[in-house]
Structures are given as structure tokens and as C-alpha cells.
Amino acid sequence: MKNFIANGETINITAAAVIASGQGVLVGSIFGVAEGAAAIGETAVIRLVGVFSLPKAPSQAWTVGQTIYWDAANNRTTNVLTGNTRIGIATQAVAGGAGDTTGIVRLNGGAT
């Protein structure tokens, strides 16, 4: 097939801010998780598919299958739609305690 470019699991982006390996990255309406660190202006590879452990808003309970969003202002996941970007679904339940600050998310492939 002459028009095939890539499998689409990852894309290269130009870092608009310093990026750490494993950090969630939102570029327009594309969300992915950085495969490595990058300085401003460097090329970074972000993974658009997979299941990741990501920081989440504290004091939020999650259920399996719940829609999860990226809160770009706080660089974390949330179950709150308003003002945030849809990134995937929760694959594990999370208790709602103040110390419950990590959630497991299956990314939706980068499209929001």
C-alpha cells in the first residue's frame, strides 16, 4: 500500500514546554504519554495508545469504564468533563481518598 505512513501508536511532536518521560502531553486535541524527556523545542515521541498509570485529581473516586479527561491546568487526569479534554477510560476502580492520586487509564488513541 503506497499511502501507508505509520501504525499510529506514536507520533513525534515539538515540545512546547519541558517534558519528562511518562508525562501526559496535550497538543491541540491530541493526548499522549511521553516516551522520553525533551527540552523546549526538541522532538518528543508521545504514545497515543496503551494503558498507563497517570496522576489524578485527589479525592475523586473512579469506576471501571468511566470516561477520563486531562486537566491541562494541573497536569493530571480527572473524571470532570468541564474545561478538560477526553483522553480515555479508567481500567481500574480508584478510591476517593485525598491520598488516591494515581489512576490507571486506557488511552483512546489520541483523538478527543
Side-chain angles (χ1 to χ4, degrees), residues 39-79:
I40 296 171
E42 289 184 341
T43 298
V45 178
I46 60 172
R47 183 158 293 277
L48 307 177
V49 296
V51 179
F52 295 89
S53 173
L54 294 169
K56 68 172 267 305
S59 302
Q60 269 187 4
W62 288 6
T63 58
V64 174
Q66 185 172 20
T67 301
I68 301 301
Y69 305 90
W70 185 250
D71 174 356
N74 294 297
N75 289 315
R76 64 188 182 195
T77 57
T78 180
N79 60 10

